[in-house]
Amino acid sequence: MTNAHDTEQLSGFLRSRRAAADPSALGAPGLGLRRVPGLRREELAEAAGVSLTYYTRLEQGLATNPSSQVLDAIARALRLDDVERAHLQRVAVGHAAPAQSARPRLRTDIATLLDRMTDVAAMAMSPSQEIVGWNRLGHALMASHLDPMAPYGDHPPNKVALLFTDPASRSLYREWEYEAVLAVASLRYVGAVHASREDLQRLVGELSVASDDFARLWAEHPVVLCTHGTKLYHHPAVGRIDLHFEVLHLPEGDGHFLLLQYAEPGSSSDHAMSLLASSTITG
C-alpha cells in the first residue's frame, strides 16, 4: 500500500523527469513558447495514452496504485532507462521494506571478515549509508581523521553526510561533483525500498538544511543503482589513487552492504595502497 512518503517520491520523480524530457523526441518542438523546460503534462499524457486528468492526479499525488501498464507507458514516453523504470514502479506501488525499530548491529563475523581483507579497503554500511564497520585500510583511506572506533558506537558516521558536510572528506575526491550526484542518486534508489526507515528520512531532512549542494541534487531526483565502478581520490598521505569498487549486499536482506575498494595489481595506485596499509600497522 502506498504511503505519504511514497506519494511524495512518485510526484517528485515524475515532475523531475517530465522537466528533463526532450519535447522534440515526441515530435512536439513547435507547440508554442515554453515557460518551463521539458514536456507539458498534456503532451506526456497523450504520448503515454492516459487521460490528462489522471496523469495530473498521479503527478499531484492524488491517484494511488497505478497499474504496471500505465507506469510502463509513462516510462516509455519519458524514455526512462531500466533503473529509472524499476524506481518508478517501486515508488508507485509502495513496495517499501518494513520499518526498523532499532539499528541492527553488524555481525561479529562480518567485522572479522573486514579485518582479514588486508589489501582491500572495506566498509560495512547501513541502507542509509551509516558506516557501521570498516577495516584498518578502509579507515585510513576514507576517514583517517575520525576515531577508528566511530562505526561501533551509538552514532556511527554517515558516508553521505561526510561527503557533503565534512571538508576533509570532500577534499578526498578528485571529482567531487560526480561523487555527490552518485551518492544522492544511490540514496534515492535505496530510499524507494526503505522509505519507512526513520534514519533515512532524518538524514535527508538534516542534509537538506545543512548543505545547499545536497538540497539541489535531491530536488533533481537522480536515480542510479550503484554496484561497481571506479573512484578517483587524492589522499593527503599518499596522493592520487584510482580504485575499483564493488558493492556486495549481505544475505540478511535488511539493506546492509559491504563497500570494497581495491587497486589494479602492479599499478601506482596499488603501490600507494600498500604504503597506506603499512601506515596502519601499529605492531
Side-chain angles (χ1 to χ4, degrees), residues 198-211 214 218:
E198 292 183 1
D199 59 342
L200 183 57
Q201 297 180 35
R202 183 170 59 251
L203 172 68
V204 171
E206 291 175 350
L207 285 182
S208 295
V209 173
S211 169
F214 179 87
W218 187 256

Side-chain angles (χ1 to χ4, degrees), residues 12-262:
F13 185 66
L14 287 174
R15 289 194 300 269
S16 71
R17 290 305 178 271
R18 182 167 62 84
D22 180 7
S24 64
L26 294 181
L31 295 181
L33 181 65
R34 294 177 184 272
R35 291 176 297 176
V36 294
L39 291 170
R40 300 186 178 110
R41 284 176 177 163
E42 55 266 30
E43 293 168 350
L44 179 54
E46 181 179 356
V50 300
S51 73
L52 174 59
T53 299
Y54 181 77
Y55 177 77
T56 300
R57 287 177 57 82
L58 192 63
E59 193 173 284
Q60 292 177 341
L62 301 176
T64 59
N65 298 322
S67 69
S68 294
Q69 291 81 2
V70 167
L71 295 173
D72 283 340
I74 293 173
R76 286 193 298 271
L78 289 171
R79 287 167 167 72
L80 302 185
D81 62 28
D82 290 342
V83 172
E84 291 172 323
R85 285 170 180 259
H87 181 75
L88 175 62
Q89 292 278 350
R90 187 174 291 113
V91 296
V93 300
H95 283 173
Q100 300 287 333
S101 58
R103 180 173 60 86
R105 297 289 181 177
L106 188 68
R107 285 192 281 120
T108 303
D109 49 352
I110 295 295
T112 302
L113 175 63
L114 297 182
D115 285 336
R116 299 292 292 178
M117 296 181 182
T118 55
D119 296 328
V120 174
M123 297 193 304
M125 302 175 67
S126 75
S128 60
Q129 298 200 33
E130 288 180 329
I131 303 170
V132 294
W134 53 24
N135 63 3
R136 287 187 292 184
L137 186 53
H139 170 244
L141 173 69
M142 300 299 299
S144 59
H145 60 298
L146 299 184
D147 186 337
M149 296 305 295
Y152 310 103
D154 292 332
H155 302 287
N158 185 282
K159 187 172 181 293
V160 179
L162 290 173
L163 180 67
F164 282 95
T165 65
D166 179 59
S169 297
R170 182 166 183 150
S171 65
L172 184 63
Y173 297 94
R174 303 204 315 261
E175 297 182 352
W176 181 87
E177 181 71 22
Y178 172 79
E179 288 293 333
V181 172
L182 198 64
V184 172
S186 179
L187 200 63
R188 271 285 184 193
Y189 188 86
V190 171
V193 183
H194 299 277
S196 59
R197 289 184 63 105
E198 292 183 1
D199 59 342
L200 183 57
Q201 297 180 35
R202 183 170 59 251
L203 172 68
V204 171
E206 291 175 350
L207 285 182
S208 295
V209 173
S211 169
D212 290 340
D213 287 322
F214 179 87
R216 168 179 55 84
L217 292 173
W218 187 256
E220 294 175 0
H221 285 257
V223 179
V224 171
L225 177 58
C226 184
T227 59
H228 64 280
T230 303
K231 293 188 180 294
L232 307 179
Y233 297 109
H234 185 85
H235 194 275
V238 295
R240 291 167 65 96
I241 310 178
D242 298 353
L243 298 179
H244 303 293
F245 75 89
E246 295 285 342
V247 172
L248 304 180
H249 287 270
L250 296 177
E252 286 81 1
D254 60 2
H256 282 66
F257 61 94
L258 304 182
L259 173 61
L260 308 178
Q261 302 184 74
Y262 60 97

